[in-house]
Amino acid sequence: MIVLLPPSETKSVGGDGPPLRVEALSSPELGPLRDVLVDELVELAGDHSACRRALGISASQHAEIERNAALRSAATLPAIYRYTGVLYDALDIGSLRGAAAARTRARLAVGSALFGLLRADDLVPAYRLSATSKLPGQPTLAARWRPALEPVLAQIASGDLVVDLRSGSYAALGRVPGAIKVDVLAEHSDGRRTVVSHFNKAHKGRLARALASTRSEPDDAAQVAAVARRAGMVVERRGDELTVVVPS
């Protein structure tokens, strides 16, 4: 089983790994586009105004431009520690030990606007690029990634069950055939259900932790739901789609 996570806008700074080696990342088929995008971001960082427009950042976020300028020389961290925020706080991979930690690192993958797909131990620098960013003079990132990324995701899905926890914009970078999709809904006292926004990420982080660390090997949506329920989550299933239901 592979649990496919969204990335985060916020990232840990620094690191103790060597500078980026694109050729050493998993899914080497994605290397050519990764290299092109890294070079484009480094070049774009030389024009601060154009960079802010393309990345949707403000003048106060100049550090994001500096990180992109240093993509080829900056220190790296394993991807699973590079991304931060609500989902990754709930995942809390640093608290896992032994076999549970090893299973988690083997099962987790992250969708990325810059790298396409990363495994937990891939060494990457801090960067700024969102799925909705549009680099000057280029097609959308979804249009650029789909031809390269979808065959890789299809190959993964042919051998492993994939639980896709990515948000819509990142899922658009490359669809996964047969993946299990997960929604999070809040249930109100009158029975109404509404989409959970901010805390959606926290619940998906809890689910990712339960799935990635379990000793079982789920091979369908029913078994994925069973793992989530054992972790104390309320889950409903309709075919290959799961709904996590939380109190409002």
Side-chain angles (χ1 to χ4, degrees):
M1 176 178 60
I2 299 297
V3 182
L4 183 51
L5 303 176
S8 61
E9 294 287 1
T10 56
K11 298 173 183 69
S12 299
V13 299
D16 55 11
L20 176 66
R21 293 179 57 229
V22 169
E23 69 277 9
L25 299 177
S26 59
S27 302
E29 310 95 312
L30 304 178
L33 183 50
R34 288 166 170 163
D35 264 322
V36 167
L37 290 173
V38 168
D39 287 343
E40 288 179 5
L41 282 185
V42 171
E43 181 179 359
L44 182 62
D47 183 335
H48 294 178
S49 295
C51 192
R52 287 195 294 269
R53 288 194 299 272
L55 302 181
I57 59 177
S58 67
S60 66
Q61 295 174 287
H62 185 72
E64 303 282 6
I65 299 176
E66 293 179 337
R67 288 180 192 129
N68 281 359
L71 279 171
R72 293 286 186 186
S73 58
T76 56
L77 278 175
I80 200 59
Y81 294 114
R82 177 61 73 193
Y83 298 102
T84 61
V86 175
L87 186 152
Y88 290 88
D89 287 346
L91 173 62
D92 194 16
I93 191 172
S95 68
L96 296 172
R97 298 290 182 271
R103 284 192 295 270
T104 299
R105 296 174 81 91
R107 287 172 173 169
L108 291 179
V110 182
S112 166
L114 179 55
F115 299 109
L117 182 71
L118 294 168
R119 301 307 294 263
D121 290 328
D122 280 332
L123 295 173
V124 293
Y127 67 91
R128 180 63 177 247
L129 185 69
S130 302
T132 54
S133 301
K134 189 174 185 302
L135 299 180
Q138 298 294 338
T140 65
L141 288 169
R144 300 178 75 181
W145 270 119
R146 276 195 301 266
L149 185 56
E150 288 191 340
V152 171
L153 293 171
Q155 180 64 31
I156 291 171
S158 71
D160 290 291
L161 179 71
V162 177
V163 181
D164 191 350
L165 301 182
R166 295 175 299 169
S167 58
S169 60
Y170 283 93
L173 299 182
R175 306 293 179 178
V176 188
I180 295 170
K181 306 291 180 62
V182 179
D183 289 322
V184 181
L185 296 179
E187 187 166 72
H188 300 262
S189 57
D190 61 3
R192 288 182 304 111
R193 289 182 175 181
T194 56
V195 175
V196 176
S197 55
H198 180 70
F199 289 104
N200 177 327
K201 296 177 181 179
H203 295 296
K204 284 188 174 181
R206 287 179 55 211
L207 177 60
R209 180 184 175 92
L211 294 176
S213 61
T214 182
R215 288 192 296 270
S216 64
E217 289 288 349
D219 59 13
D220 60 24
Q223 293 178 28
V224 169
V227 171
R229 290 175 186 132
R230 288 198 296 272
M233 306 182 82
V234 176
V235 180
E236 297 175 354
R237 179 175 68 89
R238 176 179 290 181
D240 288 336
E241 297 183 0
L242 302 182
T243 301
V244 176
V245 182
V246 300
S248 64

